[in-house]
Amino acid sequence: MNILLFGVSNVGKSVTGELLASRLNYQFYDLDEEVKNKLGITLETFVSSGTLLERDLIRCSIINSLISIPSDKVIAVTPLTHIVPIRHLFSEKDVLAIELLDSAENIFDRLVFSDENDNIYKDDEYKNRHKNYYLNDIRKDLEWYGSVYSVIKHKFDMDGRDTAGVTEALIQKYHLNSRTGG
């Protein structure tokens, strides 16, 4: 089984995906980390290079490569605008594509930043000082990626729950407890 977690930045794909994979005894892959490893560059360098289409084609190629690995896995998918190269996966019987959803306010609460070396850090003072800007940006992302991901059949509202609660709810909703890791 291949579980693909889609959603906007900071919705919780990576943290949820890692816990879900651990709980199911699956392999876990974070698309951002896979891009960095495959290309040998920082994510900051990657997102500053080429066009969005070119970057998404690279990301989709990596997803297709990961899917071809014969193991059960969870993949946290970076937000993608150009998904045509992976649309075929949404109808594969061994692929469960899920869009993780939450409110802009809950996503804002999870908001973290990264520096030019991809080190993640929190700056709640700065974040809260610019709260309206970030909430507006998150709402735009929710609308945009909601339209891009409209082809994804499975939608899961995280409803502000913590990662453990989301993981258990995903396992129950999609009957993942009856599957075994490989």
Side-chain angles (χ1 to χ4, degrees):
M1 168 66 64
N2 297 284
I3 302 171
L4 303 175
L5 299 179
F6 291 85
V8 300
S9 295
N10 290 289
V11 76
K13 301 176 301 291
S14 296
V15 176
T16 299
E18 193 166 16
L19 186 57
L20 182 62
S22 173
R23 183 81 166 63
L24 297 173
N25 196 30
Y26 282 20
Q27 296 295 312
F28 173 70
Y29 298 93
D30 181 290
L31 186 55
D32 284 341
E33 292 300 317
E34 295 302 311
V35 165
K36 289 171 17 178
N37 293 336
K38 181 173 178 71
L39 301 179
I41 60 175
T42 64
L43 196 56
E44 181 71 23
T45 301
F46 178 70
V47 299
S48 299
S49 67
T51 66
L52 177 59
L53 174 60
E54 290 167 336
R55 292 188 303 273
D56 280 357
L57 291 174
I58 290 168
R59 289 175 174 131
C60 288
S61 173
I62 292 171
I63 291 168
N64 281 317
S65 293
L66 291 172
I67 292 293
S68 72
I69 298 170
S71 67
D72 293 322
K73 66 192 75 67
V74 176
I75 303 171
V77 179
T78 309
L80 297 169
T81 294
H82 302 88
I83 61 171
V84 170
I86 59 168
R87 278 189 70 164
H88 68 282
L89 296 175
F90 303 154
S91 60
E92 297 285 329
K93 71 177 190 167
D94 67 334
V95 174
L96 175 61
I98 304 169
E99 181 185 8
L100 298 179
L101 303 166
D102 213 337
S103 69
E105 293 74 15
N106 289 334
I107 295 168
F108 173 80
D109 288 343
R110 291 186 202 98
L111 185 63
V112 293
F113 302 95
S114 62
D115 65 18
E116 62 278 355
N117 296 313
D118 298 334
N119 297 309
I120 294 175
Y121 65 93
K122 290 183 80 169
D123 188 342
D124 288 339
E125 182 181 325
Y126 176 85
K127 177 176 87 169
N128 288 320
R129 191 168 52 242
H130 301 282
K131 182 175 184 172
N132 289 335
Y133 168 81
Y134 285 112
L135 282 172
N136 187 44
D137 203 41
I138 293 166
R139 286 184 186 108
K140 286 179 185 175
D141 281 353
L142 287 168
E143 184 177 339
W144 173 252
Y145 289 107
S147 69
V148 172
Y149 296 154
S150 64
V151 297
I152 297 173
K153 177 178 149 186
H154 301 285
K155 312 289 182 184
F156 184 84
D157 188 349
M158 297 173 66
D159 200 23
R161 289 177 278 202
D162 65 14
T163 309
V166 168
T167 300
E168 291 308 313
L170 283 167
I171 289 169
Q172 293 304 311
K173 180 173 182 171
Y174 297 106
H175 309 287
L176 300 171
N177 53 347
S178 63
R179 302 176 193 272
T180 57

